[in-house]
Amino acid sequence: PGLTEQSAREHTQEQYNTMQLWGRANIGKRLQLFAFVPYMSNTRHYEERNATGSYHGLGDVSALANVAIIKTPDSNRVRHMLLAGAGVKAPTGKRYSQNAQTDDGILNIQPGTGSWDALLNANYTLRYALWGLNAEASYTLTTANKEDYKYGNRLGTSLQAFYWLQAASFTTLPQAGLRYEYTLHDYDNYTRKWLNEQTGGHMLFATTGAQVYYKQFGLQFSYFIPVHQYYAAGYVTARQRVDAGIFFLF
């Protein structure tokens, strides 16, 4: 909707792209350390104006530590592992405007949030012979940035079934499942508790993909299609997502 009751509604098409360098280091048998450095390249096309805005730059870097609470030996026919941990996201991302009411200040398109956030996560994997299940949950506790804007806390969960295929030096893990995301409303002014009603909501995705490993190298691809959603008071409709990556194990 427009900024005022008299303003005409506008339609936009938006595309979000993230390129991310990340790494994991194992400390002993039970501790894992992660670091993530994203680069964002987002665009918004205004249909009525036939104009396009581009927003790109370094995103918010984050670090995370996981501890293996449960880990059975690899020799077991039935194996399972439970990881849980916490981390922090730093406000390193580029910000285009400090005015949330201007076009450039619409905050979901910005590479950075401008806020320090706490990260919580858990990951459980159960494997029997060549079949397996993976369940994951993450929660982001946000804080207000220097403009006193606060993004809503976010919950992300997923459940994936996979199958382990081994052929010579290649290992392939086809997988399929569901992903659910829930986001609370943002605050335009957190001190005054001005809730932004056109934010927040939930989405359910059906997912499919595969991971392929050859010696020390790996490839992964995932495809997400929304099957149910209600986001931003119904003003936002999400479309497909694609996720692809390259791994080097050492």
Side-chain angles (χ1 to χ4, degrees), residues 12-14 42-46 51-53 55 103 106 108-109:
T12 65
Q13 296 284 342
E14 301 169 6
N42 306 326
T43 60
R44 169 183 279 122
H45 179 73
Y46 297 87
T52 299
Y55 310 81
D103 287 346
I106 298 176
N108 63 306
I109 204 82

Side-chain angles (χ1 to χ4, degrees), residues 52 78 126 175 224:
T52 299
V78 178
L126 173 65
Q175 56 195 29
F224 303 75

Side-chain angles (χ1 to χ4, degrees), residues 111-217:
T113 65
S115 65
W116 289 90
D117 299 337
L119 311 174
L120 304 172
N121 84 299
N123 188 301
Y124 177 74
T125 301
L126 173 65
R127 184 177 165 191
Y128 174 75
L130 300 179
W131 292 92
L133 284 174
N134 177 262
E136 186 176 13
S138 62
Y139 195 78
T140 302
L141 291 159
T142 63
T143 64
N145 59 27
K146 64 181 181 180
E147 292 92 36
D148 211 23
Y149 192 95
K150 181 182 180 298
Y151 292 85
N153 293 347
R154 299 185 301 279
L155 170 69
T157 62
S158 66
L159 180 64
Q160 297 276 347
F162 63 88
Y163 186 73
W164 191 284
L165 294 172
Q166 187 76 46
S169 298
F170 288 89
T171 301
T172 304
L173 283 77
Q175 56 195 29
L178 297 169
R179 177 167 179 81
Y180 178 76
E181 299 176 356
Y182 181 79
T183 305
L184 296 177
H185 290 297
D186 298 353
Y187 284 89
D188 287 328
N189 187 302
Y190 189 61
T191 301
R192 298 175 181 268
K193 296 298 186 288
W194 291 349
L195 200 65
N196 187 334
E197 298 288 352
Q198 295 169 18
T199 59
H202 59 270
M203 300 182 186
L204 178 66
F205 295 87
T207 67
T208 185
Q211 296 181 13
V212 180
Y213 296 92
Y214 175 73
K215 296 182 178 180
Q216 292 178 282
F217 296 92

Side-chain angles (χ1 to χ4, degrees), residues 59-144:
D60 292 339
V61 302
S62 57
L64 189 73
N66 275 346
V67 176
I69 299 173
I70 300 172
K71 186 177 182 180
T72 55
D74 291 342
S75 58
N76 288 13
R77 186 169 179 82
V78 178
R79 286 173 275 173
H80 63 149
M81 181 169 63
L82 174 62
L83 298 167
V88 63
K89 182 187 71 62
T92 59
K94 184 175 180 179
R95 306 273 293 168
Y96 273 82
S97 172
Q98 295 185 10
N99 183 355
Q101 301 306 316
T102 67
D103 287 346
D104 286 341
I106 298 176
L107 296 179
N108 63 306
I109 204 82
Q110 299 273 6
T113 65
S115 65
W116 289 90
D117 299 337
L119 311 174
L120 304 172
N121 84 299
N123 188 301
Y124 177 74
T125 301
L126 173 65
R127 184 177 165 191
Y128 174 75
L130 300 179
W131 292 92
L133 284 174
N134 177 262
E136 186 176 13
S138 62
Y139 195 78
T140 302
L141 291 159
T142 63
T143 64

